[in-house]
PDB file of all heavy atoms in Angstrom:
ATOM      1  N   GLY A 192      13.338 -78.109 -21.368  1.00 97.00           N
ATOM      2  CA  GLY A 192      13.884 -78.469 -20.058  1.00 97.00           C
ATOM      3  C   GLY A 192      13.604 -79.892 -19.616  1.00 97.00           C
ATOM      4  O   GLY A 192      14.004 -80.274 -18.514  1.00 97.00           O
ATOM      5  N   CYS A 193      12.935 -80.669 -20.451  1.00 98.00           N
ATOM      6  CA  CYS A 193      12.676 -82.085 -20.104  1.00 98.00           C
ATOM      7  C   CYS A 193      13.901 -82.904 -20.497  1.00 98.00           C
ATOM      8  O   CYS A 193      13.886 -83.669 -21.473  1.00 98.00           O
ATOM      9  CB  CYS A 193      11.427 -82.600 -20.817  1.00 98.00           C
ATOM     10  SG  CYS A 193       9.909 -81.743 -20.371  1.00 98.00           S
ATOM     11  N   VAL A 194      14.951 -82.764 -19.726  1.00 97.00           N
ATOM     12  CA  VAL A 194      16.257 -83.280 -20.133  1.00 97.00           C
ATOM     13  C   VAL A 194      16.306 -84.806 -20.158  1.00 97.00           C
ATOM     14  O   VAL A 194      17.075 -85.395 -20.929  1.00 97.00           O
ATOM     15  CB  VAL A 194      17.362 -82.726 -19.207  1.00 97.00           C
ATOM     16  CG1 VAL A 194      17.537 -81.238 -19.434  1.00 97.00           C
ATOM     17  CG2 VAL A 194      17.029 -82.997 -17.736  1.00 97.00           C
ATOM     18  N   ARG A 195      15.498 -85.468 -19.345  1.00 98.00           N
ATOM     19  CA  ARG A 195      15.481 -86.932 -19.348  1.00 98.00           C
ATOM     20  C   ARG A 195      14.511 -87.485 -20.376  1.00 98.00           C
ATOM     21  O   ARG A 195      14.770 -88.514 -21.009  1.00 98.00           O
ATOM     22  CB  ARG A 195      15.108 -87.465 -17.961  1.00 98.00           C
ATOM     23  CG  ARG A 195      16.143 -87.191 -16.880  1.00 98.00           C
ATOM     24  CD  ARG A 195      15.725 -87.802 -15.554  1.00 98.00           C
ATOM     25  NE  ARG A 195      15.533 -89.244 -15.676  1.00 98.00           N
ATOM     26  CZ  ARG A 195      14.467 -89.898 -15.226  1.00 98.00           C
ATOM     27  NH1 ARG A 195      13.473 -89.229 -14.645  1.00 98.00           N
ATOM     28  NH2 ARG A 195      14.378 -91.210 -15.351  1.00 98.00           N
ATOM     29  N   ALA A 196      13.387 -86.813 -20.553  1.00 98.00           N
ATOM     30  CA  ALA A 196      12.359 -87.333 -21.458  1.00 98.00           C
ATOM     31  C   ALA A 196      12.720 -87.119 -22.923  1.00 98.00           C
ATOM     32  O   ALA A 196      12.471 -87.989 -23.763  1.00 98.00           O
ATOM     33  CB  ALA A 196      11.017 -86.665 -21.152  1.00 98.00           C
ATOM     34  N   ALA A 197      13.282 -85.972 -23.227  1.00 98.00           N
ATOM     35  CA  ALA A 197      13.564 -85.627 -24.626  1.00 98.00           C
ATOM     36  C   ALA A 197      14.892 -86.227 -25.063  1.00 98.00           C
ATOM     37  O   ALA A 197      15.927 -85.578 -25.036  1.00 98.00           O
ATOM     38  CB  ALA A 197      13.563 -84.114 -24.803  1.00 98.00           C
ATOM     39  N   SER A 198      14.851 -87.471 -25.477  1.00 98.00           N
ATOM     40  CA  SER A 198      16.031 -88.179 -25.982  1.00 98.00           C
ATOM     41  C   SER A 198      15.845 -88.458 -27.467  1.00 98.00           C
ATOM     42  O   SER A 198      14.767 -88.261 -28.027  1.00 98.00           O
ATOM     43  CB  SER A 198      16.212 -89.493 -25.228  1.00 98.00           C
ATOM     44  OG  SER A 198      15.132 -90.375 -25.517  1.00 98.00           O
ATOM     45  N   ASP A 199      16.891 -88.918 -28.101  1.00 98.00           N
ATOM     46  CA  ASP A 199      16.773 -89.305 -29.509  1.00 98.00           C
ATOM     47  C   ASP A 199      15.725 -90.397 -29.680  1.00 98.00           C
ATOM     48  O   ASP A 199      14.960 -90.396 -30.655  1.00 98.00           O
ATOM     49  CB  ASP A 199      18.119 -89.793 -30.037  1.00 98.00           C
ATOM     50  CG  ASP A 199      19.122 -88.663 -30.221  1.00 98.00           C
ATOM     51  OD1 ASP A 199      18.687 -87.499 -30.349  1.00 98.00           O
ATOM     52  OD2 ASP A 199      20.334 -88.938 -30.248  1.00 98.00           O
ATOM     53  N   ARG A 200      15.696 -91.330 -28.748  1.00 98.00           N
ATOM     54  CA  ARG A 200      14.707 -92.409 -28.819  1.00 98.00           C
ATOM     55  C   ARG A 200      13.292 -91.849 -28.785  1.00 98.00           C
ATOM     56  O   ARG A 200      12.418 -92.276 -29.551  1.00 98.00           O
ATOM     57  CB  ARG A 200      14.937 -93.368 -27.655  1.00 98.00           C
ATOM     58  CG  ARG A 200      13.905 -94.477 -27.532  1.00 98.00           C
ATOM     59  CD  ARG A 200      14.052 -95.175 -26.197  1.00 98.00           C
ATOM     60  NE  ARG A 200      12.973 -96.129 -25.972  1.00 98.00           N
ATOM     61  CZ  ARG A 200      12.613 -96.567 -24.777  1.00 98.00           C
ATOM     62  NH1 ARG A 200      13.226 -96.112 -23.690  1.00 98.00           N
ATOM     63  NH2 ARG A 200      11.656 -97.446 -24.645  1.00 98.00           N
ATOM     64  N   ALA A 201      13.050 -90.888 -27.900  1.00 98.00           N
ATOM     65  CA  ALA A 201      11.720 -90.294 -27.792  1.00 98.00           C
ATOM     66  C   ALA A 201      11.361 -89.524 -29.068  1.00 98.00           C
ATOM     67  O   ALA A 201      10.222 -89.597 -29.542  1.00 98.00           O
ATOM     68  CB  ALA A 201      11.652 -89.377 -26.580  1.00 98.00           C
ATOM     69  N   LEU A 202      12.311 -88.785 -29.627  1.00 98.00           N
ATOM     70  CA  LEU A 202      12.038 -88.030 -30.845  1.00 98.00           C
ATOM     71  C   LEU A 202      11.730 -88.961 -32.011  1.00 98.00           C
ATOM     72  O   LEU A 202      10.869 -88.660 -32.848  1.00 98.00           O
ATOM     73  CB  LEU A 202      13.225 -87.131 -31.183  1.00 98.00           C
ATOM     74  CG  LEU A 202      13.522 -85.990 -30.202  1.00 98.00           C
ATOM     75  CD1 LEU A 202      14.582 -85.060 -30.790  1.00 98.00           C
ATOM     76  CD2 LEU A 202      12.269 -85.209 -29.864  1.00 98.00           C
ATOM     77  N   GLN A 203      12.393 -90.089 -32.070  1.00 98.00           N
ATOM     78  CA  GLN A 203      12.105 -91.053 -33.129  1.00 98.00           C
ATOM     79  C   GLN A 203      10.695 -91.614 -32.986  1.00 98.00           C
ATOM     80  O   GLN A 203       9.991 -91.824 -33.983  1.00 98.00           O
ATOM     81  CB  GLN A 203      13.141 -92.176 -33.102  1.00 98.00           C
ATOM     82  CG  GLN A 203      14.524 -91.727 -33.579  1.00 98.00           C
ATOM     83  CD  GLN A 203      15.574 -92.809 -33.416  1.00 98.00           C
ATOM     84  OE1 GLN A 203      15.590 -93.545 -32.427  1.00 98.00           O
ATOM     85  NE2 GLN A 203      16.474 -92.905 -34.391  1.00 98.00           N
ATOM     86  N   ALA A 204      10.281 -91.846 -31.744  1.00 98.00           N
ATOM     87  CA  ALA A 204       8.908 -92.331 -31.512  1.00 98.00           C
ATOM     88  C   ALA A 204       7.889 -91.266 -31.895  1.00 98.00           C
ATOM     89  O   ALA A 204       6.852 -91.566 -32.503  1.00 98.00           O
ATOM     90  CB  ALA A 204       8.745 -92.724 -30.040  1.00 98.00           C
ATOM     91  N   ILE A 205       8.165 -90.011 -31.550  1.00 98.00           N
ATOM     92  CA  ILE A 205       7.268 -88.902 -31.907  1.00 98.00           C
ATOM     93  C   ILE A 205       7.168 -88.781 -33.426  1.00 98.00           C
ATOM     94  O   ILE A 205       6.083 -88.604 -33.985  1.00 98.00           O
ATOM     95  CB  ILE A 205       7.764 -87.595 -31.274  1.00 98.00           C
ATOM     96  CG1 ILE A 205       7.579 -87.646 -29.751  1.00 98.00           C
ATOM     97  CG2 ILE A 205       7.037 -86.386 -31.865  1.00 98.00           C
ATOM     98  CD1 ILE A 205       8.259 -86.508 -29.011  1.00 98.00           C
TER      99      ILE A 205
END
Side-chain angles (χ1 to χ4, degrees):
C193 298
V194 291
R195 293 182 58 228
S198 66
D199 288 338
R200 175 192 173 201
L202 294 189
Q203 289 174 321
I205 291 170

